[in-house]
Amino acid sequence: MLGKKLVTAQKRGETRALCLGLGMVACSMMMYFFIGITIVPFYTNSVWTTETVCKVLKANIKEKVFCPNSEGSEDEEIFPYPCLQVWVNLTASGQEVMLYQTEDTLERNPKCSYIPDKLENSKEVKARIETIASNFKKYQTFPCYYDPGGTQTNVILSRLYPSKGLLFAFLWPTLMFTGGCLIIVLVKISQYVSVLSAWQ
């Protein structure tokens, strides 16, 4: 009687462990799919792939512009911000080009180098942009990214998804997939050993 209970408990444990392993594998596959349709296209479509050194030529704050999230939206009328324009000397080619914070900055507003987060207090936005402008004037040289193919003549300060970030994004689903496969293999080995012991 006790032996039957132990066998039943063992089978239940194996079933739960097998379900856990399969669930981990399924979740990791979903994470791979999500990363593949969101982060990977941004990484592969970015032409700013080569790192170089940029030297600040001028950093000016122009008149206020409206938030360009989408044309005709109500947010454009309630979120004006000062337009910071930073021009740098590209060491790789010696050209005078405009600097943008990321690839997204250029797409949202090609007139400004920096787009602040939406804040209710316009004084905070102005103070932040003035601080960024003073930092550019203080630190004249810094690493930046440019397009070696020449499709884009401007440069960006940082990539949205660098190589390290992409590897880090794939790290967690890989660990989960490996753990799930390991659990499944251990359950199968346990079942094989149990069958072999019973047969003997």
Side-chain angles (χ1 to χ4, degrees):
M1 189 70 180
L2 181 60
K4 290 183 178 180
K5 289 184 178 180
L6 289 175
V7 171
T8 303
Q10 182 181 3
K11 288 184 177 179
R12 288 179 180 175
E14 290 176 350
T15 302
R16 291 174 181 175
L18 190 61
C19 290
L20 175 63
L22 292 174
M24 291 174 66
V25 171
C27 288
S28 64
M29 290 298 178
M30 291 175 62
M31 292 174 67
Y32 278 129
F33 176 75
F34 179 76
I35 294 173
I37 63 174
T38 56
I39 299 178
V40 173
F42 281 105
Y43 177 80
T44 55
N45 293 334
S46 177
V47 295
W48 295 271
T49 56
T50 306
E51 184 175 351
T52 186
V53 177
C54 289
K55 184 177 181 181
V56 176
L57 298 175
K58 54 185 176 181
N60 302 324
I61 299 178
K62 300 289 185 176
E63 70 282 351
K64 286 187 176 182
V65 296
F66 293 111
C67 180
N69 286 333
S70 59
E71 295 183 0
S73 65
E74 297 179 357
D75 291 340
E76 291 182 342
E77 301 178 358
I78 61 175
F79 183 42
Y81 60 92
C83 182
L84 173 64
Q85 292 182 345
V86 180
W87 293 87
V88 298
N89 183 18
L90 186 60
T91 306
S93 61
Q95 294 178 328
E96 179 180 338
V97 296
M98 189 169 177
L99 174 74
Y100 296 93
Q101 184 184 11
T102 61
E103 301 95 328
D104 185 58
T105 307
L106 176 61
E107 293 181 3
R108 292 176 60 189
N109 189 358
K111 294 181 179 180
C112 303
S113 298
Y114 172 75
I115 299 177
D117 296 330
K118 186 174 180 179
L119 298 175
E120 295 182 0
N121 192 344
S122 59
K123 293 182 179 179
E124 293 182 8
V125 175
K126 183 179 179 181
R128 180 183 299 180
I129 292 178
E130 289 177 350
T131 301
I132 294 173
S134 63
N135 287 336
F136 276 119
K137 294 176 182 178
K138 183 178 179 180
Y139 304 100
Q140 290 288 312
T141 57
F142 50 87
C144 59
Y145 294 90
Y146 75 101
D147 176 17
T151 306
Q152 294 287 343
T153 56
N154 40 58
V155 296
I156 60 174
L157 182 62
S158 59
R159 300 183 66 182
L160 279 175
Y161 300 104
S163 301
K164 291 182 179 179
L166 190 65
L167 291 176
F168 185 77
F170 278 106
L171 175 63
W172 297 111
T174 302
L175 291 176
M176 184 178 293
F177 179 80
T178 304
C181 291
L182 184 61
I183 291 174
I184 294 173
V185 170
L186 291 176
V187 170
K188 291 300 181 181
I189 291 176
S190 176
Q191 290 177 345
Y192 175 76
V193 172
S194 298
V195 172
L196 186 63
S197 299
W199 181 77
Q200 290 179 350

